[in-house]
Amino acid sequence: ITESGNCSLVLCMDVGFSMSNSPPGEEPPFDQAKKVIQKFVQRQVFSESKDEMALVLFGTDATKNPLDQDGQYQHITVRRQLMAPDFELLEEIENHVRPESQQTDWLDALVVSMDLLQKGKYDRLNIVLLTDLSTQVSSDNLDVIIGNLGKLGITLQFLALKWYGDGDRRGSSRPGVGKGLSREQKQGLEMVRDIMLSLDEDEGLDQVYTFSEAIEQLFMFKHIERRPMAWPCQLTIGSSLSIRIVGYKAVTDEKLKKMWITVDAQTSKRDDVKRETVYCLDDDNETEVQKDDTIQGFRYGSDIVPFSKVDQEQMKYKHDGKCFAVLGFTKHDSIHRHLFMGSQTIKMFAPKDDEHAGVALSALIQALDKLNMVAIVRYAYDRRCNPQVGAAFPCIKQTYECLVYVQLPFMEDLRQFSFPSLENKKFTPSESQLAAVDSLIDSMMLVEEDENGQKEDMYKVHEIPNPAFQRLFQCLHHRAVNPGTPLPTMEQWLKDALERPSAISERCQAPLEEMKRKFPLKAVEKKKELKTGAQIFEPDAKKSKVDEEEEEFNLAKISEGNVTSVGSVDPARDFRSLINQKSLPFGEVCQQLTHRIEQLLSNRSTHYYMKCITCIQTFREQSVKLGNADLYNSYLQSLKKSIPNSGLQVFWDLLVQGMISLFIGGSRFSPT
Amino acid sequence: MAEWNAFYQNEEADEEQEEGEESAVNYKVTGRDSLVFLVDASKEMFIKGEDGEPSNFDITMQCVRSVYTSKIISSHRDLVALVFYGTEKSKNPRNSFKHVYVYHDLDEPGAKRVQDVEALRGERGARLAADTMGSGEVSLGDALWCCSNLYSDIKLRLSHKRLMIFTCMDQPHGGDSTKDRQARTKAGDLKETGVVIDLMHLMKPGGFDVSLFFCDIVSPPEDESELGLQVEPCGKLDDLQKRVQAKQQKKRAMARLHTVIGMNVAVGVYANAVTARKPSAIRLYRETNEPVHSKTRTFHTQTGSLLLPSETRKVYGNRQIVMEKDEVDTIKKFYDPEIFLIGFKPMEKLKLHHHIRPSVLLYPEEQQVTGSSCVFAALLKKCTEKKVFAVCRYTPRRNYPPRFVALVPQREEVDESNVQVTPPGFNAIFLPFADDIRKLDTPQFPTASDVQVDKMKEIITKMRFKYRSDAFENPVIQQHYRNLEALALDMLAPESIEDFIMPKVEQIDRRLGPLVDEFKELVYPASYNPDSKPAAKRKTADAGGGDEKKPKVEIPEAELRAHIKNGTLGKLTVPVLKEACKQFGIRTTGTKKQELMDALIAQMAK
């Protein structure tokens, strides 16, 4: 386990003459390569990676490199020395990496890159070479170069121009010797193969990608990622059997490292904005009290129990820290996949240098696998972390064995809902309906056997980069390089990657039509459509239902003349009642309502905001019902205008989220 | 879900937002849930079973107690009441009903109430019940009427109203048709006001015939089928608790969405399980112990004036990349809320270790789009038959980037007494993106021999048990509530908890006997001790207990000065530098090497 997982990397890009050549209608290799580099640097910069990075260009008109001597290593420019990638590097690539007119031996460029890496201080070294391999290469010193690459432990990745006939990136075909390649390219390809095979017998050409692959999948990025943190521990069974293990996070819900921070709009300075929390009593004056005059407490149902931090610390559940202890073994199928908890899976191996532990762990893994069982374990990361209960599954791969740990729920976590059975006469599908579903499924199978009986998966989600990150990086990059311009639209490749594969889309057309014919669906009109999934508005739907019920009760009250004005308790209900009563003119009722809204808004609290939103929704609904939208629209207009000055942006945002559309427009507006 | 907030989380994300995770329901908006336990207190309830099995009354009280405590933990804002009928004495708000004893009126459950119910348990509880309430005439109509008064006396808005009748008498009025009719009328009134009436019918000799009377009292099942009452009566506490638990939690959809397969099917999204956490602390005013609320203001450091949200902008990381707030939102927007079907894959393509967050359950929303349930049922059936799952793109709400999910069919399962144990629906398993998968260097070892594996098999077989997902309580949370309980009730010490996730080491050792040594002999050489730390062990992430272990690394002042003079301070390691800082009484907040060096240089220059 090496402590520093950091690495240094040289991006070595061909900008020479042939890179800007392309058949008409195709993107020149140069543009593609530049995009790859930008994507890559973008990612490193915005995740504030500490890995060092250098940029070497070859095929440049100028020459600037440490090996430039006696006419050797010409037309190679070290654009940037090894250092942490930053925003300037992005700008530099944007503005200074452009097609040039020379041709340079890519092996020379490789040597320059290796020379740079030797000066770096990290132990994981990488070179990424981007070229179309069109240049004449002298293979004189190939052996020496390969030897040095191996000696220094440099990982090499080739990103080359699309060089095989079919452009299907999800195809299994690795680049073979494609058609339409020039003699130089063929020769170059052979040489690449030699290098890769001699460096890594297992992977070989698997480390050669086309540009488009590099962009769309994260092969390149994944490869140089920081090594995950090791978690050494002992797996224990009872008091006297322990096996040394090391855990690594294998899958985890990855978050962005950096967050948005609030700055002053004028100065863009963070320090100009300060946030302060004050504590107030729940009295009419909201009397402020000092933080020191407050103590900590917890709710126990209706009781509030003062419970100081010190007492809490003293009385809380304590445990012995780091542990991976087997509680027992159980049948694999008694663990439900849908009850996996937490946000990660951990793979447990034996420590690298400990063969005995390896054998002992292997015995456990093999035995579990053969018996189709799993271990239920108590897992605690360390003393500060709460212990978990989880399952350790055996995982046997061709090249390794491990245990896979996943957290399981506690009793308190479970939501044991029951739902009405679907085995209900009303919902039972007919034979022809089932047949329609059957053919739909068949037409949409993403995994199919090819001619050789190999199963092929057309849509691997785990190879799609997280679109949220990609989009954010794209926009940040754009804003950084082109300040003041609007944000760009989503990149096409990303859009495509998130869509149904076109082959499937075509195939499922007919079965889908059949489905539509076979299954009549009817949206229930009456209910407010919940276009927004926003949680806070969920309950609103229920509330309106309750409101309707209450409305019925209120009819009695209304006849007694109970509601005479829009009160503050439930203004929306009062408003509706008053309109139903028709005892007051519409205009006046509206005025009363808007008055209440203003009053409520002045409280500046979310609770009241929600009330106001209900009021406005009711206002809108009643206006539509009565076919009189003017008052509503003009109120909303003035409200909107007042927002910036009244500090009610939060409210406005909630309102906008909560309503399908704000204003009553001509097209939507029909008196029915 | 809320992790996605992290995408755009800033300092404003305070505790409240954290709490507002998937489970959180805004009570201010929805109103409170309420639950009334209406318990038969007639003599029959107190009859103990054969072999000293607890009486029906006893198991009911245990069940009520567990609901009280679980409400306190999971939803303390809910209102709960406990009412007895068929009592000798009467106690209700206006004392207008005879033989109805309101033990607890509708309120949030607290420590006192838990104690009260606790007191009604067991032998002593039965005596206490006989003393305070006694058993007398039964009039369910009066009892229901009294309960409806409880509801109407509540000033709060109630969102979900449920009433559970616990009884072992299928003919409570012994055939008195006037009383039966009165009870039906009152039940009808209650149902009309939105109260859901459930029957928790308990074991009685000769069986419980629901059709005699109670079928007209209880609310029809959700699916309007004739089902529901075919459920067998409950004889065991476990069963009763399960039934009550399943009913008492109001299902709340986290989102309502349309699946887009080219046709709109409405589905609701429900959490299968949500990590229960210790609740966050509330601040109290020292003088009075009354809760205070906090207000957060944003103001300008220089001018001191309050800043409106419109006067601020968002900046990412440390770079000066500025965006408007709405731009930050648009970046996150990909699609409207939906579940978009990409295609199907065979079940074996779902990888076990591809797990990034707890799954959710999809169930059709017939009330939104009629016909949804039929499509859903057909898909469920076919996917199960063909052993496939659906791959979908899932956008739970607006301005949420998509995730992909595997929709795995789950058929309904019922237990031997016809109670649903697994609801029908599709479980949506969240799939990782490329970023979520880490590349590991996998060490290679010789695999174990058959003899070694067989020995381990023996060990495993000795330690088999039946796993149940509800078998493990969270000791951290349980301890926390025991502590609060003790403080609230002025107990001397908190009730001790059982740590269910602690291995029962002695038991295991006893069971395994010589197997452990036999296995060790097979895999470990005599000199090998897996418990000793390897020599080359490096510092690990476990920094918590690290302090005592670390050797002191002091450095003479002269040497330090020499380093500073020669500019070779950087050669020292961080622990050495930290120690040096301590030595000279420099308080450092930084942990970075440069910060430590700067602090030392500054100190020495003095």
Side-chain angles (χ1 to χ4, degrees):
Chain A
I1 311 144
T2 40
E3 246 184 315
S4 102
N6 290 3
C7 66
S8 22
L9 174 136
V10 180
L11 290 171
C12 183
M13 177 178 165
D14 191 350
V15 296
F17 172 69
S18 65
M19 287 289 280
S20 31
N21 282 341
S22 69
E26 259 181 51
E27 204 176 16
F30 173 85
D31 292 1
Q32 292 183 26
K34 183 167 168 175
K35 254 188 229 164
V36 172
I37 291 200
Q38 281 180 323
K39 278 266 131 39
F40 182 69
V41 176
Q42 219 177 68
R43 208 181 156 83
Q44 298 298 102
V45 169
F46 293 124
S47 60
E48 310 241 319
S49 160
K50 290 197 185 76
D51 296 344
E52 293 193 333
M53 195 187 279
L55 178 61
V56 174
L57 305 176
F58 61 101
T60 50
D61 301 332
T63 299
K64 191 180 155 224
N65 71 69
L67 304 182
D68 165 23
Q69 246 176 10
D70 313 327
Q72 282 210 307
Y73 299 104
Q74 292 305 293
H75 303 297
I76 300 176
T77 304
V78 176
R79 189 74 232 184
R80 191 184 168 100
Q81 297 289 339
L82 269 183
M83 57 198 280
D86 53 19
F87 182 50
E88 283 70 43
L89 179 57
L90 271 181
E91 274 183 324
E92 211 167 295
I93 295 170
E94 172 81 15
N95 300 324
H96 299 293
V97 175
R98 51 174 193 272
E100 304 199 29
S101 51
Q102 298 300 316
Q103 288 286 61
T104 311
D105 182 343
W106 54 266
L107 270 181
D108 282 353
L110 189 61
V111 174
V112 171
S113 303
M114 287 163 64
D115 177 61
L116 282 179
L117 274 184
Q118 268 179 309
K119 295 169 190 159
K121 59 180 179 210
Y122 290 126
D123 49 11
R124 284 165 72 92
L125 310 176
N126 296 275
I127 295 175
V128 179
L129 193 63
L130 303 98
T131 173
D132 65 347
L133 297 172
S134 290
T135 46
Q136 189 68 48
V137 183
S138 86
S139 54
D140 301 348
N141 293 321
L142 192 58
D143 292 346
V144 184
I145 295 173
I146 292 177
N148 275 331
L149 280 171
K151 210 163 69 201
L152 292 168
I154 295 177
T155 318
L156 182 62
Q157 282 174 287
F158 267 96
L159 298 182
L161 168 69
K162 182 172 79 176
W163 54 18
Y164 50 97
D166 62 326
D168 183 8
R169 71 179 169 88
R170 291 201 174 95
S172 61
S173 43
R174 283 275 131 210
V177 179
K179 287 173 200 137
L181 294 183
S182 68
R183 201 173 57 81
E184 288 82 10
Q185 282 175 313
K186 279 183 187 153
Q187 188 203 349
L189 191 54
E190 279 309 309
M191 208 172 298
V192 169
R193 196 195 297 272
D194 286 350
I195 299 177
M196 299 311 274
L197 285 176
S198 55
L199 279 178
D200 189 336
E201 50 208 274
D202 287 337
E203 290 185 77
L205 282 176
D206 276 354
Q207 289 302 310
V208 186
Y209 307 110
T210 64
F211 292 142
S212 61
E213 271 180 329
I215 296 185
E216 290 170 29
Q217 306 183 11
L218 289 178
F219 286 144
M220 174 164 94
F221 311 132
K222 300 301 304 176
H223 200 74
I224 61 137
E225 238 167 38
R226 204 163 307 173
R227 211 174 288 193
M229 181 90 110
W231 182 77
C233 189
Q234 274 128 322
L235 181 152
T236 57
I237 301 175
S239 66
S240 51
L241 178 52
S242 50
I243 303 173
R244 286 175 53 210
I245 50 165
V246 181
Y248 295 95
K249 262 187 206 181
V251 178
T252 184
D253 196 347
E254 205 68 60
K255 307 275 169 40
L256 286 168
K257 292 204 186 79
K258 284 288 150 180
M259 293 181 220
W260 292 97
I261 49 176
T262 308
V263 296
D264 181 61
Q266 250 103 56
T267 60
S268 293
K269 275 193 195 147
R270 183 188 188 166
D271 293 345
D272 284 347
V273 179
K274 198 171 152 89
R275 284 168 60 82
E276 175 195 68
T277 306
V278 291
Y279 296 94
C280 320
L281 297 180
D282 257 332
D283 57 9
D284 291 341
N285 300 325
E286 297 209 306
T287 318
E288 268 183 39
V289 293
Q290 293 304 308
K291 186 167 185 207
D292 291 347
D293 287 333
T294 63
I295 51 171
Q296 185 186 255
F298 287 93
R299 229 169 236 294
Y300 184 78
S302 53
D303 306 306
I304 293 171
V305 183
F307 196 12
S308 72
K309 273 223 168 85
V310 182
D311 287 347
Q312 199 195 343
E313 191 56 38
Q314 198 122 75
M315 291 171 76
K316 77 170 187 198
Y317 175 85
K318 292 184 193 79
H319 62 99
D320 298 334
K322 191 186 261 195
C323 120
F324 199 77
V326 175
L327 304 180
F329 299 95
T330 193
K331 277 265 171 57
H332 190 293
D333 55 15
S334 63
I335 310 289
H336 297 294
R337 174 69 208 249
H338 68 271
L339 290 179
F340 283 10
M341 299 297 288
S343 57
Q344 59 178 15
T345 55
I346 304 171
K347 285 191 174 171
M348 305 283 179
F349 302 93
K352 261 203 182 65
D353 49 1
D354 192 338
E355 195 171 296
H356 308 303
V359 172
L361 192 64
S362 165
L364 176 61
I365 295 167
Q366 297 279 349
L368 284 173
D369 187 63
K370 295 218 169 80
L371 294 168
N372 200 16
M373 303 210 20
V374 303
I376 300 295
V377 295
R378 171 195 178 94
Y379 163 86
Y381 182 79
D382 68 12
R383 230 175 6 173
R384 291 159 303 173
C385 296
N386 292 335
Q388 304 174 354
V389 61
F393 298 88
C395 167
I396 300 177
K397 289 278 162 78
Q398 232 162 23
T399 53
Y400 67 93
E401 294 173 350
C402 66
L403 287 174
V404 173
Y405 170 82
V406 184
Q407 190 186 352
L408 293 175
F410 283 115
M411 186 266 283
E412 292 90 340
D413 304 338
L414 295 171
R415 298 288 146 104
Q416 280 151 339
F417 296 135
S418 60
F419 286 86
S421 175
L422 290 172
E423 312 274 315
N424 183 316
K425 273 174 249 140
K426 274 201 316 202
F427 308 138
T428 312
S430 66
E431 280 309 312
S432 69
Q433 283 176 323
L434 285 174
V437 174
D438 205 59
S439 55
L440 179 79
I441 294 177
D442 286 343
S443 73
M444 293 185 82
M445 284 309 289
L446 296 164
V447 179
E448 289 199 322
E449 277 184 31
D450 63 9
E451 313 90 70
N452 309 324
Q454 289 281 325
K455 287 215 168 150
E456 214 174 283
D457 193 339
M458 286 188 239
Y459 202 81
K460 289 186 179 149
V461 174
H462 64 273
E463 286 181 358
I464 303 175
N466 189 336
F469 300 173
Q470 296 303 320
R471 176 80 178 126
L472 176 67
F473 293 156
Q474 181 207 1
C475 291
L476 286 172
H477 186 178
H478 174 90
R479 182 50 53 87
V481 182
N482 318 291
T485 56
L487 296 178
T489 55
M490 211 192 305
E491 287 164 303
Q492 194 56 44
W493 71 266
L494 184 58
K495 265 191 204 162
D496 293 345
L498 301 174
E499 287 301 327
R500 202 180 277 160
S502 51
I504 296 286
S505 287
E506 276 165 36
R507 265 198 332 228
C508 72
Q509 278 300 328
L512 204 52
E513 288 306 315
E514 181 65 11
M515 283 284 286
K516 277 191 217 166
R517 268 197 301 278
K518 285 275 152 57
F519 290 94
L521 289 170
K522 198 163 151 261
V524 180
E525 290 289 340
K526 261 206 254 155
K527 258 184 94 180
K528 214 185 299 171
E529 203 183 322
L530 288 162
K531 272 244 166 107
T532 75
Q535 210 163 11
I536 34 174
F537 295 102
E538 286 295 329
D540 252 349
K542 282 172 205 122
K543 187 170 64 179
S544 64
K545 223 161 77 188
V546 177
D547 274 350
E548 277 158 28
E549 283 165 22
E550 279 176 31
E551 206 172 22
E552 283 169 24
F553 294 126
N554 288 334
L555 282 177
K557 287 188 197 155
I558 291 163
S559 58
E560 290 161 23
N562 252 347
V563 181
T564 53
S565 63
V566 178
S568 59
V569 180
D570 193 345
R573 191 188 62 191
D574 293 347
F575 175 71
R576 212 178 297 155
S577 309
L578 283 169
I579 286 181
N580 286 342
Q581 281 177 40
K582 298 197 180 69
S583 57
L584 289 173
F586 182 62
E588 190 177 331
V589 185
C590 292
Q591 206 181 354
Q592 283 189 11
L593 181 76
T594 55
H595 181 65
R596 281 289 171 216
I597 295 176
E598 295 305 317
Q599 239 178 14
L600 291 170
L601 282 180
S602 64
N603 283 310
R604 301 274 188 285
S605 114
T606 322
H607 173 45
Y608 291 110
Y609 290 170
M610 301 317 297
K611 217 173 190 176
C612 291
I613 290 170
T614 317
C615 288
I616 292 174
Q617 282 166 342
T618 315
F619 195 177
R620 187 179 193 284
E621 154 203 314
Q622 295 295 325
S623 301
V624 172
K625 215 160 124 191
L626 293 175
N628 184 348
D630 298 348
L631 288 169
Y632 171 79
N633 279 342
S634 74
Y635 171 67
L636 217 58
Q637 199 65 55
S638 72
L639 180 67
K640 190 180 175 186
K641 260 190 223 135
S642 72
I643 292 298
N645 298 324
S646 52
L648 285 167
Q649 194 59 45
V650 181
F651 164 70
W652 186 256
D653 293 344
L654 285 172
L655 179 68
V656 174
Q657 275 176 47
M659 313 253 309
I660 295 160
S661 74
L662 281 179
F663 292 94
I664 301 173
S667 56
R668 281 188 64 92
F669 178 52
S670 63
T672 52
Chain B
M1 302 284 93
E3 292 94 310
W4 280 104
N5 292 346
F7 188 152
Y8 166 54
Q9 210 169 40
N10 44 39
E11 322 90 297
E12 281 155 54
D14 51 16
E15 285 168 25
E16 256 175 67
Q17 226 175 336
E18 260 173 56
E19 268 178 52
E21 290 200 11
E22 51 260 80
S23 61
V25 173
N26 194 336
Y27 284 91
K28 286 176 189 159
V29 188
T30 54
R32 312 274 194 95
D33 284 358
S34 63
L35 172 63
V36 173
F37 293 106
L38 183 55
V39 182
D40 187 352
S42 55
K43 289 197 192 70
E44 286 79 356
M45 288 287 287
F46 292 93
I47 298 170
K48 277 212 224 155
E50 294 153 27
D51 327 321
E53 297 234 323
S55 67
N56 280 327
F57 186 83
D58 199 3
I59 66 169
T60 305
M61 286 307 107
Q62 293 194 38
C63 182
V64 171
R65 186 197 191 274
S66 78
V67 171
Y68 272 24
T69 44
S70 81
K71 285 270 180 203
I72 285 174
I73 295 179
S74 64
S75 37
H76 66 87
R77 309 280 288 167
D78 290 1
L79 305 178
V80 188
L82 176 59
V83 180
F84 296 101
Y85 69 97
T87 54
E88 178 63 43
K89 296 175 190 156
S90 314
K91 178 172 170 256
N92 43 69
R94 290 176 273 283
N95 277 322
S96 41
F97 305 102
K98 288 220 173 94
H99 309 298
V100 179
Y101 198 102
V102 177
Y103 203 74
H104 290 148
D105 58 7
L106 266 180
D107 204 347
E108 296 168 4
K112 180 75 176 48
R113 291 192 160 199
V114 175
Q115 251 185 348
D116 292 345
V117 176
E118 181 68 36
L120 289 174
R121 283 174 53 180
E123 202 74 48
R124 252 186 30 226
R127 271 201 304 279
L128 178 69
D131 290 347
T132 47
M133 306 181 294
S135 296
E137 217 176 300
V138 173
S139 168
L140 194 60
D142 280 349
L144 291 171
W145 195 346
C146 177
C147 292
S148 76
N149 285 350
L150 290 183
Y151 284 117
S152 51
D153 287 348
I154 288 294
K155 298 284 177 290
L156 301 158
R157 185 213 288 282
L158 299 176
S159 63
H160 178 67
K161 295 183 268 193
R162 198 173 268 276
L163 186 145
M164 289 183 185
I165 305 177
F166 292 77
T167 183
C168 58
M169 306 285 289
D170 48 8
Q171 281 181 296
H173 307 119
D176 180 336
S177 59
T178 328
K179 278 191 174 173
D180 278 358
R181 196 171 52 244
Q182 196 205 357
R184 277 191 212 111
T185 320
K186 283 297 154 201
D189 291 351
L190 273 171
K191 283 184 272 188
E192 241 166 65
T193 58
V195 178
V196 179
I197 304 179
D198 288 318
L199 177 64
M200 296 294 152
H201 49 320
L202 304 161
M203 228 28 135
K204 94 170 188 44
F208 194 109
D209 189 351
V210 177
S211 65
L212 286 176
F213 169 69
F214 274 101
C215 55
D216 297 332
I217 298 292
V218 299
S219 303
E222 277 176 273
D223 50 0
E224 294 162 30
S225 68
E226 306 96 84
L227 210 121
L229 291 175
Q230 292 154 4
V231 173
E232 298 292 315
C234 248
K236 282 198 222 84
L237 176 66
D238 269 5
D239 287 351
L240 185 65
Q241 275 179 340
K242 240 188 270 166
R243 280 186 210 184
V244 172
Q245 207 65 24
K247 293 263 182 190
Q248 62 105 357
Q249 268 178 338
K250 171 93 180 108
K251 296 188 286 262
R252 283 184 201 280
M254 294 150 61
R256 298 213 161 75
L257 300 167
H258 290 237
T259 44
V260 182
I261 346 170
M263 49 203 284
N264 280 340
V265 178
V267 295
V269 181
Y270 302 86
N272 275 317
V274 179
T275 307
R277 291 176 208 285
K278 254 192 320 198
S280 50
I282 44 176
R283 298 225 72 87
L284 310 173
Y285 184 46
R286 190 187 288 280
E287 306 291 316
T288 56
N289 277 354
E290 65 181 304
V292 295
H293 62 266
S294 64
K295 283 198 288 196
T296 309
R297 298 184 196 130
T298 311
F299 60 88
H300 199 277
T301 331
Q302 247 99 76
T303 63
S305 64
L306 287 180
L307 279 175
L308 301 174
S310 59
E311 290 171 301
T312 60
R313 287 219 176 102
K314 298 291 173 192
V315 165
Y316 187 79
N318 298 323
R319 318 242 155 246
Q320 291 300 305
I321 303 173
V322 182
M323 298 219 187
E324 303 294 340
K325 195 182 164 299
D326 61 328
E327 285 181 321
V328 176
D329 287 338
T330 24
I331 292 176
K332 284 184 291 180
K333 161 136 194 175
F334 284 74
Y335 309 98
D336 284 331
E338 62 171 15
I339 298 176
F340 180 84
L341 179 63
I342 302 282
F344 296 89
K345 284 188 191 182
M347 273 315 289
E348 67 266 16
K349 281 281 167 186
L350 183 61
K351 302 212 177 87
L352 182 90
H353 64 284
H354 279 180
H355 163 73
I356 47 164
R357 61 172 76 155
S359 69
V360 291
L361 179 76
L362 306 187
Y363 187 84
E365 290 267 327
E366 191 73 10
Q367 303 92 323
Q368 280 202 35
V369 177
T370 339
S372 295
S373 293
C374 186
V375 182
F376 204 83
L379 271 171
L380 201 56
K381 189 156 193 254
K382 276 294 162 192
C383 285
T384 317
E385 271 175 29
K386 300 175 86 90
K387 297 193 173 64
V388 294
F389 66 89
V391 179
C392 293
R393 192 181 64 211
Y394 174 61
T395 308
R397 11 191 144 145
R398 276 160 46 113
N399 299 342
Y400 253 56
R403 270 274 171 191
F404 284 87
V405 291
L407 298 190
V408 180
Q410 172 171 293
R411 300 302 291 266
E412 182 184 18
E413 283 169 37
V414 294
D415 66 8
E416 59 281 359
S417 51
N418 242 337
V419 175
Q420 188 179 69
V421 282
T422 315
F426 278 99
N427 283 310
I429 312 281
F430 288 86
L431 300 174
F433 283 123
D435 306 69
D436 303 321
I437 295 178
R438 304 205 174 168
K439 194 179 162 69
L440 305 179
D441 295 336
T442 48
Q444 288 181 14
F445 295 103
T447 47
S449 67
D450 286 348
V451 193
Q452 291 162 331
V453 174
D454 287 343
K455 192 51 80 184
M456 186 47 95
K457 276 189 189 167
E458 284 181 55
I459 293 180
I460 291 173
T461 320
K462 285 270 189 227
M463 287 175 67
R464 282 171 77 126
F465 78 111
K466 207 166 172 230
Y467 170 81
R468 274 189 20 212
S469 47
D470 58 357
F472 300 97
E473 287 183 342
N474 186 338
V476 177
I477 293 185
Q478 291 299 332
Q479 182 68 58
H480 178 76
Y481 280 102
R482 286 300 91 75
N483 292 343
L484 292 180
E485 201 175 62
L487 291 169
L489 299 173
D490 283 328
M491 286 152 61
L492 282 175
E495 210 184 304
S496 63
I497 58 153
E498 188 180 345
D499 189 344
F500 289 99
I501 59 165
M502 206 51 159
K504 298 187 175 64
V505 176
E506 279 149 38
Q507 205 183 317
I508 293 173
D509 288 350
R510 222 177 22 246
R511 276 224 210 149
L512 296 182
L515 283 175
V516 171
D517 286 331
E518 288 165 25
F519 178 76
K520 284 208 280 200
E521 249 168 61
L522 283 173
V523 293
Y524 294 153
S527 58
Y528 179 82
N529 179 7
D531 297 315
S532 70
K533 301 238 161 109
K537 190 166 179 307
R538 297 184 192 227
K539 189 164 66 80
T540 65
D542 188 3
D547 283 348
E548 312 92 71
K549 289 181 228 149
K550 262 184 238 158
K552 290 259 180 206
V553 269
E554 283 193 21
I555 179 165
E557 186 173 338
E559 200 178 314
L560 198 67
R561 284 189 188 283
H563 275 302
I564 291 174
K565 200 172 144 222
N566 302 332
T568 51
L569 201 57
K571 282 188 178 168
L572 300 176
T573 61
V574 172
V576 176
L577 289 170
K578 268 194 185 159
E579 195 52 45
C581 284
K582 240 186 253 167
Q583 218 172 316
F584 297 102
I586 307 167
R587 291 187 56 187
T588 50
T589 46
T591 48
K592 292 220 178 75
K593 193 165 188 174
Q594 192 59 49
E595 288 169 339
L596 294 171
M597 283 164 53
D598 290 347
L600 275 173
I601 293 168
Q603 172 74 18
M604 291 306 179
K606 276 181 196 167

